[in-house]
Amino acid sequence: MQEREKKRDALRAAGVDPYGGRFPDVEAAADLRARADVCDIPAGEKLPDFTARIAGRITLLRDIGKLAFLTVQDRTGAMQFGLSRADLGDAQWAVFKQLDLGDIIGGDGIIGRTKTGELTLWLKTLTVLAKALRPPPEKWHGLTDVELRYRHRYVDLFSNPEVREVFRQRSAIIHAIREHLVDLGYLEVDTPVLQPIYGGAAARPFTTHHNTLDMDLYLRISPELYLKRLLVGGMERVFEISRNFRNEGISPRHNPEFSMIELYEAYADYNVMMERTEGMVAAGIEALGGGFIRPYGELELNFAPPWRRAKYADLLGEHTGLDVKDTSGVLERAKQEGIYQKLTKMIGDGHVHVRPDHAAPGSLIDHDVLVNELFDMLVQPHLIQPTFVYDYPASICPLTRRHPEDPSIALRFEAFVAGMELGNAYTELNDPRVQEEKVMDEDFVMALEYGMPPAGGLGVGLDRLVMLLTNSRSIRDVILFPLQRKG
RNA sequence: GAGGGCGUAGCUCAGUCGGCAGAGCACCUGCCUUUUAAGCAGGUGGUCCUGGGUUCGAGUCCCAGCGCCCUCACCA
């Protein structure tokens, strides 16, 4: 670092600003490459009339005496600069001598190809735009220490092109989904992140406080209750790309703050929401290119619609041989798997509620809770190809409309891919008197009393979708600044 | 919250049985007008994650702590 500060001072002493300002009309390296490709420049030739201006960070520097080659990287790729002491003049050559890997420079010159055919910008003028005081990571391995990659993501980004590519793809996916929904007549909205009453999911919130109002507030765990108010207000198709905050554990699939796209469509139901899920994912895939069949780790996933649709009860039977309504059979299996023992141990902690009316004789745990645990343990890991699991046990889905012919079934689906939950949807409950029993938010109930159109609602985890489409193992690889403990 | 793994130069990593702290890249000095992980010669660079302990002597062994990764739990 001391050496670099000396060079910075040397530049200043020579009247060169080491932190240059505006540098207009820079061409992207990829655009220049395309422009050059149509010219058929022979190896070893320079075209005196083909001028260009490029800017970026120095990633390679080879000084071979009175001639030097630099590789400069911009957002679109790399471009080689050629510097000749004879052409540049002593003053500019002296400037070059103060450069290091990692510095950001601009170059004006003419295009040519070297003996080996590499496209090269032969500089007439060199402009220092930012002197880097810290060296970049090693050129061959880049930055691989995951802790440093997350803590200093800027280094990760400029030294690892594949990381930049993942986040470019993330942007493309979200942009495509947004356009897809807008094309369907959806309005994009923003609802409160700071909520006096939290709801819409079962998770512990982060709490905060507004000083002037002297009011406790929660960071939202879901935008759901606000988006439904908008349905009442006549906004019949709305979506929000919502950062949600859940004060829960961290894992390769969970970050405390994460992005979800949530949408509501009046007069639709959960079947329509299955199509919306397929449509959004297809739009994301189309933006990336490469087709519906995509690698994910050792797996090969086929996102081509329509995805498999399977009833919760049928899948349970398929993978466990159990009948959902067989309370004693489920209890026995739950004991075999150790689930029952685990749950009864947790009753004291208040995490598990005892509901004898829904339990098998002699069981302390609600039947549907046992079923759900069995499902998570024995069925979910097998849901590799995109699958809509629908018609859930009603007791584990309070905000969902019941099946008209079977009140024990909720009109809900979850989308699973690679054994991971990707989305969750309902045919929404719009009866205020039923809702009232289950929600603390009086204003929300009042909204329903004014009449909410029947609707389908859907939430898709955007980080997880980006993981699946970019073949990323960890949610931290698709979130720019994942939460880290204070280092 | 529980278990396992990891932590050494700016970066990527070796470090044997407890016996002088190492390599490559980067950096510095010199040479080189077509390099491609450029090359050649010489050189600088260390809180071995932190704090204790054992020992004549600790990067190495023991204890505690911190951080990261993984698994489980919690949670969608």
Side-chain angles (χ1 to χ4, degrees), chain A residues 1 4 57 100-103 132-138 155 158:
Chain A
M1 210 147 77
R4 286 170 180 252
R57 188 183 295 275
D100 289 296
L101 293 181
D103 291 351
L133 298 182
R134 292 177 187 272
E138 200 213 15
V155 180
F158 74 65

Side-chain angles (χ1 to χ4, degrees), chain A residues 386-416:
Chain A
T387 304
F388 294 115
V389 179
Y390 68 101
D391 288 0
Y392 275 66
S395 62
I396 57 172
C397 317
L399 299 185
T400 315
R401 182 187 288 263
R402 306 297 169 86
H403 196 288
E405 279 142 37
D406 183 353
S408 74
I409 286 178
L411 298 175
R412 171 193 189 186
F413 77 75
E414 291 192 290
F416 289 93

Side-chain angles (χ1 to χ4, degrees), chain A residues 10 39 55 125 179 181 186 210 212 235 238 241 245 277 280 312 316 321 340 345 350 391-392 406 423 434 443:
Chain A
C39 287
T125 313
E179 277 196 327
L181 291 176
Y186 275 80
H210 190 279
T212 307
M235 301 173 83
V238 293
I241 292 175
F245 305 84
T277 308
M280 287 192 292
Y312 185 92
L316 188 75
Y340 182 79
K345 232 182 268 174
D391 288 0
Y392 275 66
D406 183 353
V434 178
D443 180 73

